[in-house]
Amino acid sequence: MQHTQSLCENKLFRALYARGKSAAAPCMAVYARKNRLKTVSRMGITCSVKIGGAVQRNRMRRRLREAYRLNEGRFLPGYDIVIVARSRALKRPFSTLEKEMLEVFGKLGMTAKDDKKTGIEPDPVL
């Protein structure tokens, strides 16, 4: 990943839950807050036991991490991010996860302003 490190400390997760901005989609909830590192973002992913066993939870983490990695250039650096996976995400196709991630990050104002590729194609003009 270009400008993202792993968010590992429990106190940072708790601070994001308490004081970060949040937005949700059917597959995930995202908590975000600006950090003091201007060029580096830190991201953590959590999965509840409700999602399933260890294999399902790890698969979900890998899918969310890959969706983030593929679109990392569209996101502004300098944020602490926690992505909370929801049980619906396990059955959804990868393209849906990617689309919802872009929408949620857009709601939080974390996408570049000049980003022309929103993932949503305009309606054809007749």
Side-chain angles (χ1 to χ4, degrees):
M1 288 193 238
Q2 299 170 357
H3 58 77
T4 305
Q5 297 174 348
S6 183
L7 185 69
C8 298
E9 296 181 26
N10 188 25
K11 67 180 182 180
L12 296 174
F13 277 79
R14 287 195 320 250
L16 277 173
Y17 293 140
R19 294 184 295 275
K21 293 192 309 184
S22 65
C27 291
M28 69 189 77
V30 176
Y31 296 86
R33 184 177 182 203
K34 277 208 171 274
N35 62 25
R36 293 181 184 160
L37 311 169
K38 303 262 189 249
T39 60
V40 177
S41 291
R42 296 181 293 191
M43 182 188 67
I45 300 173
T46 61
C47 296
S48 168
V49 178
K50 293 177 185 177
I51 288 179
V55 173
Q56 286 83 14
R57 292 194 308 270
N58 287 329
R59 181 178 298 131
M60 193 71 257
R61 283 188 200 101
R62 285 193 306 269
R63 292 177 77 204
L64 289 171
R65 194 176 304 117
E66 181 66 7
Y68 180 86
R69 186 190 69 82
L70 290 174
N71 295 291
E72 184 179 19
R74 297 179 180 187
F75 305 141
L76 298 174
Y79 285 89
D80 286 343
I81 305 160
V82 171
I83 301 172
V84 180
R86 293 185 168 170
S87 58
R88 293 180 193 168
L90 199 59
K91 303 285 184 190
R92 298 278 175 110
F94 183 77
S95 59
T96 304
L97 285 178
E98 211 172 2
K99 180 181 162 205
E100 287 185 6
M101 183 176 284
L102 290 170
E103 289 174 3
V104 170
F105 277 57
K107 285 181 192 176
L108 292 171
M110 296 172 52
T111 56
K113 299 290 184 208
D114 61 348
D115 186 18
K116 303 272 188 287
K117 295 176 105 179
T118 59
I120 301 170
E121 297 296 324
D123 291 335
V125 178
L126 299 175

